[in-house]
Amino acid sequence: MYPFLKGHGTENDFVLLPDPDGTVHGALSAERVRALCDRRAGIGGDGVLRVIRTAAVGEPGVGQDAEWFMDYRNADGSISEMCGNGVRVFGRHLAQQGLVDPATPVPVATRAGVKVLTFAGGAADGEITVDMGIAKVLEETAVRVGERQWSALHVDMGNPHAVAFVDDLADAGPLLDAPGHDPAVYPAGVNVEFVVRRAPGHVAMRVHERGSGETRSCGTGACAVMVATALADGAARDTAYRVDLPGGTLRITWTADDRILMTGPAVVVAEGATDL
Ligand SMILES: N[C@H](CCC[C@H](N)C(=O)O)C(=O)O
């Protein structure tokens, strides 16, 4: 048996695996990740967050400029560079375990670089703001669901996104299969977001995540949505956007120095042991 915890950020939920020195799970197989995320035969989750010291990772490009590394895996076992909701839950766990001090900014290493977390409350309460870094705005592309097609904007938040504005969030129907996309634009797959405007500075979205299917929320996706909307609106920098998702609300700002700040909740709901 080995320990796990369960947590979520706006109902994007994760299985956390404490593995500080990397000796519990070794390479952490895709098969184990799938078993853990299985909502019937396993614990259930949109992904796995392995909690490992950066010094124990040994992956190229994972710098030593943060003590902890978030080893993120999608529910299908695939690796992604970054998870916005996940990094807030990751930080909540570190603070609750007394492994970091929530009174000061907390750097977390990821495959998309170091993200710095700022806690509004203490270790166990209050929202968390993540400096998500610089958004890369790339080309116009398209996504297809069934017979429908929409133009979309390719935004890179460390992971790939296609943001499509729709008239009604139901237009995309039951997002059971991955929306079609141009493999030349997204050779490693893509997270697809459908957005409607609610009011100035206020949008609502649904998301089909690469490697996890439709989820209740996607932090990097909400950032990509905010960037696409702010560009379309011609919004000034430092304009705060409210992004409503099926699982909750995130607040996102594109700062004057071009960084994306995302603020939202993070909760650890359970802990246990498993031999999955
Ligand atoms: N499925 C995404 C990773 C998780 C992103 C999402 N859960 C978030 O909160 O950013 C991908 O393969 O790029």
Side-chain angles (χ1 to χ4, degrees):
M1 306 288 271
Y2 57 83
F4 74 88
L5 299 99
K6 185 77 194 296
H8 76 92
T10 56
E11 299 183 3
N12 190 197
D13 64 331
F14 310 101
V15 178
L16 290 93
L17 297 179
D19 189 6
D21 302 320
T23 53
V24 177
H25 295 284
L28 184 57
S29 70
E31 183 187 8
R32 170 166 288 180
V33 170
R34 286 192 292 272
L36 289 164
C37 291
D38 187 315
R39 294 191 184 283
R40 295 288 181 274
I43 296 161
D46 293 326
V48 164
L49 311 176
R50 176 161 58 165
V51 186
I52 183 170
R53 284 200 168 82
T54 308
V57 174
E59 269 186 30
V62 174
Q64 305 295 322
D65 36 9
E67 181 181 4
W68 294 97
F69 174 70
M70 179 180 75
D71 180 4
Y72 176 78
R73 312 298 178 94
N74 284 316
D76 68 354
S78 60
I79 289 176
S80 174
E81 304 83 353
M82 180 48 195
C83 180
N85 288 318
V87 79
R88 297 197 316 275
V89 177
F90 188 90
R92 174 72 72 211
H93 167 67
L94 293 178
Q96 286 181 318
Q97 298 298 315
L99 297 172
V100 296
D101 176 4
T104 60
V106 174
V108 174
T110 77
R111 292 185 176 92
V114 172
K115 309 299 175 186
V116 177
L117 280 57
T118 304
F119 289 69
D125 58 7
E127 295 200 313
I128 297 173
T129 295
V130 184
D131 179 344
M132 298 287 283
I134 307 287
K136 290 188 197 138
V137 179
L138 302 165
E139 70 276 55
E140 285 285 341
T141 178
V143 293
R144 297 181 307 284
V145 176
E147 300 304 310
R148 302 286 305 270
Q149 177 162 306
W150 295 270
S151 63
L153 182 64
H154 179 184
V155 180
D156 185 303
M157 289 303 303
N159 59 352
H161 294 271
V163 179
F165 288 90
V166 295
D167 298 326
D168 182 324
L169 288 178
D171 279 0
L175 282 174
L176 302 177
D177 300 318
H181 59 270
D182 181 347
V185 175
Y186 299 110
V190 63
N191 302 285
V192 178
E193 290 84 21
F194 296 95
V195 198
V196 292
R197 284 182 164 77
R198 292 279 189 248
H202 179 191
V203 293
M205 62 176 273
R206 286 173 66 192
V207 57
H208 184 283
E209 283 199 40
R210 175 180 65 170
S212 300
E214 181 163 13
T215 59
R216 300 275 293 163
S217 178
C218 177
T220 51
C223 292
V225 160
M226 182 269 173
V227 165
T229 309
L231 286 173
D233 293 348
R237 286 287 195 277
D238 289 327
T239 303
Y241 273 76
R242 168 180 166 174
V243 180
D244 289 344
L245 304 108
T249 293
L250 296 172
R251 297 186 186 282
I252 302 170
T253 301
W254 194 351
T255 67
D257 62 348
D258 228 16
R259 307 190 73 78
I260 306 295
L261 303 183
M262 172 188 65
T263 299
V267 184
V268 175
V269 295
E271 61 182 292
T274 179
D275 54 8
L276 278 175

